Amino acid sequence: MPKQSKDMLDKIERLTLGHYETNAESFWQGTRDHDVSQNIDTFLNALAKHGQRDEAQDILDFGCGPGRDLQTFKNRGHRPVGLDGSEAFCEMARQHSGREVLHQQFLSLDLGENRFNGIFANASMFHVPGQELPRVLKACHRALRVGGILFMSNPRGNAEGWQGERYGHYMEFDDSKACLEQAGFTVLDHYYRPAGKPRQQQPWLAIVSQR
Ligand SMILES: C[S@@+](CC[C@H](N)C(=O)[O-])C[C@H]1O[C@@H](n2cnc3c(N)ncnc32)[C@H](O)[C@@H]1O
C-alpha cells in the first residue's frame, strides 16, 4: 500500500469518527447487550495471572464506544478509564460508567508512561491504518506498566481500506503477531470468535500480549 499523506490520515479519522458520531445512539442500542464475556474474562484472567491477583487494576478501554465494557470493569472492582475519538461516545460512556473518559484520537494519543496494568482494545485497533500501527502500538506499550497486558479483538483478513464511511485494516494472526513484537510485546495467546464454529465462520481474531 503506498504511503498515506497526513491529509489522508486526517480524513480517515474524520470520516470514521463522523460515522460513529452520527450513529452513536443506534450503535449503543445495537451493541449494549453484546456478549463480550469471553474477551473480558480472557483479559482479566491474563491480568490476574501476570499481575497482582485480586487487586483492582488500572485499565484503559481503548476505543470504549458508549461504555458497555467500562461499566463491566467498574462492576468487577477495577479502575477503568475510557478513551474514544467520538465526543458523543465519550459523553455516553461517562454517563453509563461514571468513569473518566479521555477524548483522544488514535493517531494523536497522549497516554503517558507506566500508567495502566491493562489495555482492552475491543473492536477498535483495526481502525488504525497499517502505516501508523507500529507507532500506536508503541504508545500502548509505553502506557502499560512492565508485565501489563494488551488485549485486542479485531475482524481478521488481509485487506486495508474503506468499508462505507469507515476505514479498516484487517490482519491475520501472523502479521498481527509480527506488528506486536516489533512494538516490544510478547504474544501470550490468541483465539478466534465466535467460539465453537468452523474457522471460516470465525471472523474475529483475539490476541493477548504482554509488555
Ligand atoms: C466498533 S467500535 C467498538 C466500540 C467498543 N469497544 C465496543 O466493543 O463496543 C470502534 C470504536 O473505536 C472508536 N474509534 C475509531 N477510530 C478512532 C480514532 N481514530 N480515534 C479514536 N477512536 C476511534 C470509535 O469511535 C468506536 O467507539
Side-chain angles (χ1 to χ4, degrees):
M1 163 157 283
K3 186 166 163 38
Q4 286 166 317
S5 65
K6 171 87 172 71
D7 282 353
M8 179 50 79
L9 295 172
D10 288 346
K11 182 177 173 187
I12 285 170
E13 288 205 296
R14 191 173 66 253
L15 294 193
T16 303
L17 287 168
H19 172 90
Y20 285 110
E21 190 81 13
T22 307
N23 299 288
E25 185 55 37
S26 60
F27 183 89
W28 170 237
Q29 294 307 331
T31 59
R32 58 186 297 173
D33 295 323
H34 276 187
D35 180 4
V36 285
S37 54
Q38 184 186 13
N39 292 348
I40 300 246
D41 289 345
T42 299
F43 173 63
L44 291 180
N45 287 341
L47 279 178
K49 195 163 160 195
H50 296 282
Q52 305 90 326
R53 191 174 291 275
D54 297 332
E55 281 180 16
Q57 307 282 347
D58 292 308
I59 291 169
L60 177 68
D61 189 340
F62 185 90
C64 62
R68 177 196 62 221
D69 303 331
L70 276 178
Q71 257 179 320
T72 305
F73 291 130
K74 180 183 165 186
N75 292 343
R76 297 252 200 130
H78 298 294
R79 291 185 296 261
V81 171
L83 181 150
D84 209 279
S86 154
E87 184 61 64
F89 278 163
C90 288
E91 199 42 52
M92 290 163 94
R94 287 180 195 116
Q95 280 176 18
H96 292 143
S97 69
R99 296 294 304 172
E100 180 186 9
V101 179
L102 308 171
H103 184 217
Q104 290 189 22
Q105 295 184 201
F106 298 159
L107 300 189
S108 47
L109 293 169
D110 180 14
L111 296 178
E113 297 185 12
N114 302 311
R115 181 168 171 197
F116 300 103
N117 301 100
I119 299 180
F120 185 73
N122 195 68
S124 54
M125 198 66 86
F126 76 100
H127 284 308
V128 175
Q131 170 188 316
E132 301 300 306
L133 190 58
R135 186 171 66 78
V136 171
L137 288 176
K138 278 183 192 150
C140 290
H141 189 268
R142 276 195 303 275
L144 283 169
R145 300 186 179 124
V146 174
I149 298 293
L150 171 66
F151 176 93
M152 306 193 296
S153 174
N154 291 309
R156 66 192 181 88
N158 279 306
E160 174 159 6
W162 294 97
Q163 284 218 319
E165 294 166 318
R166 285 179 286 184
Y167 191 91
H169 175 216
Y170 310 95
M171 285 187 293
E172 294 292 351
F173 176 67
D174 286 348
D175 286 344
S176 305
K177 180 171 184 272
C179 268
L180 285 160
E181 288 176 349
Q182 199 192 332
F185 287 99
T186 302
V187 172
L188 301 177
D189 190 14
H190 74 287
Y191 58 88
Y192 298 90
R193 270 176 51 86
K197 300 265 189 193
R199 184 59 44 81
Q200 66 273 20
Q201 291 172 35
Q202 292 181 312
W204 292 89
L205 167 63
I207 306 180
V208 182
S209 51
Q210 183 176 35
R211 173 174 175 178

